[in-house]
Amino acid sequence: MMKRLVFSVFVLFAFGFFSCDPPREESQTEKFERDLQAFNKKMDNVSQTINILEALQKELDQLEHQRAEGSISEEEFNIRANELKDTYGRALAKRDNLKPATGLPQWAVQLGLTEPQGMTLDQAFSQITSVENNDEGFNSVTLVYTGNYEHAINEATRIARLAGIPLGKDFVQARELAKTYSSSPVKGIAFMNFDPYLKDAPVNISITVDEVGVLTISAVDVEQMKRQFERSRPNDNP
């Protein structure tokens, strides 16, 4: 009885295996439709990102106008501008967070980066991309940690020192302005190996702490990102 059962199962399996049609090749039309849908999805994401960035810039412009006319102080401008950047930045991170990060990848460790001790990783805002993923095309990681403010400052300073990342020029200028014109010191800290909007490093690295003690480590391979952007641009040639 057992032999007959085994033989019957084998026959059914063999019949199913050998009688299956070979995988149907994708037609050029189907490939075009699939690529078009993927492209449109990317363009929708780019459009949403642009809308968020434009909304951020509009609010920053309003703050700049208020500072210029003297209705808000330099200190208040810096505080509110940082709050806006944090809010919109988190909105972008949360919207695009398709691949949450759980720690530093090996390529970031090789740059000298380490993770903070005694702080909690906020996975909702931590993300990673890889050059090995064709849809992403470049290495990047953003790790967001929460904890005690003073401890966060100490950990950010330690991590930056080990990785050789200096204080950001904008932060140094803001701190000097606060010393000169205000009795309240600038909260938080920012270490960067690049000048935002002016000069990139091969891998842009920033280690920051905001006024409530949120520590963020960010590293982006700018050269890989630029190459991916060029590959993703629509071909203008007919």
Side-chain angles (χ1 to χ4, degrees), residues 105-123:
Q106 188 58 36
W107 61 264
V109 173
Q110 292 174 351
L111 296 173
L113 290 173
T114 55
E115 296 182 47
Q117 300 171 3
M119 300 189 71
T120 302
L121 178 67
D122 187 345
Q123 285 192 314

Side-chain angles (χ1 to χ4, degrees), residues 61-149:
D61 289 343
Q62 291 174 349
L63 279 181
E64 182 67 43
H65 178 72
Q66 292 174 358
R67 178 176 65 171
E69 67 180 11
S71 58
I72 62 173
S73 65
E74 182 75 28
E75 179 186 3
E76 185 176 358
F77 170 83
N78 289 328
I79 292 172
R80 291 172 63 179
N82 287 333
E83 289 175 348
L84 283 174
K85 291 175 183 178
D86 181 70
T87 299
Y88 280 93
R90 283 171 169 267
L92 283 171
K94 192 170 185 179
R95 185 185 65 80
D96 293 333
N97 196 5
L98 302 179
K99 189 175 179 183
T102 58
L104 285 172
Q106 188 58 36
W107 61 264
V109 173
Q110 292 174 351
L111 296 173
L113 290 173
T114 55
E115 296 182 47
Q117 300 171 3
M119 300 189 71
T120 302
L121 178 67
D122 187 345
Q123 285 192 314
F125 297 111
S126 299
Q127 55 187 337
I128 188 171
T129 64
S130 172
V131 70
E132 303 298 331
N133 186 322
N134 291 332
D135 290 334
E136 297 166 348
F138 64 96
N139 287 332
S140 74
V141 63
T142 299
L143 299 178
V144 179
Y145 295 87
T146 58
N148 173 268
Y149 175 81

Side-chain angles (χ1 to χ4, degrees), residues 78-79 82-87 90 119 122 125 144-153 156 171 186-191 207-217:
N78 289 328
I79 292 172
N82 287 333
E83 289 175 348
L84 283 174
K85 291 175 183 178
D86 181 70
T87 299
R90 283 171 169 267
M119 300 189 71
D122 187 345
F125 297 111
V144 179
Y145 295 87
T146 58
N148 173 268
Y149 175 81
E150 293 298 335
H151 182 68
I153 293 291
F171 173 78
V186 173
K187 295 281 286 183
I189 200 166
F191 299 91
I207 304 158
T208 63
V209 177
D210 68 10
E211 65 276 1
V212 297
V214 175
L215 189 158
T216 301
I217 301 173

